């Protein structure tokens, strides 16, 4: 299969006019689709050290929710809990009636990773 030009891909005919608001296809290699977060680590919870909280802490740092000076650690300790709770509050991901919920669930994990790395 040969390469298509944008004109061919969008079936634009002479006089080759593009209108405002027209949706166009830009041919080329796909980047693999939309960003997908890494799998949620089952059992990740405040106060635990297994599974390791390092990937959560790194994502919280990279998204601007955890201070970069906080060292990465296996433990889901107080600073990670505070950052996770703030993230949950901002994005309405906390458990009903618990705006200080420090646990990251699957939805929060996916959103956090998308914000940190899905650009």
């Amino acid at each position: 299969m040969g390469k298509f030009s944008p004109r061919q891909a969008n079936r634009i005919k002479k006089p080759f006019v593009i209108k405002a608001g027209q949706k166009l296809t830009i041919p080329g290699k796909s980047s693999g689709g939309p960003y997908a977060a890494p799998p949620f680590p089952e059992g990740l919870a405040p106060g635990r050290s297994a599974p390791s909280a390092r990937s959560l802490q790194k994502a919280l740092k990279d998204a601007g929710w955890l201070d970069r000076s906080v060292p990465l650690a296996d433990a889901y300790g107080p600073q990670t809990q505070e950052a996770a709770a703030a993230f949950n509050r901002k994005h309405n991901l906390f458990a009903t009636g618990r705006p200080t919920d420090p646990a990251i669930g699957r939805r929060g994990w996916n959103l956090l990773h998308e914000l940190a790395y899905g650009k």
Side-chain angles (χ1 to χ4, degrees), residues 4 8-10 13 26 40 52 58 60 63 69-70 73 75 98 102:
F4 287 100
Q8 291 168 318
N10 292 285
K13 302 200 185 305
I26 307 298
F40 179 75
S52 175
K58 183 169 180 345
L60 285 165
S69 67
V70 175
R98 292 191 56 213

Side-chain angles (χ1 to χ4, degrees), residues 90-114:
K90 168 73 175 170
H91 299 286
N92 293 319
L93 296 169
F94 53 86
T96 305
R98 292 191 56 213
T100 58
D101 187 1
I104 287 284
R106 286 179 197 280
R107 283 182 43 225
W109 175 267
N110 291 340
L111 177 60
L112 175 62
H113 280 81
E114 184 174 333

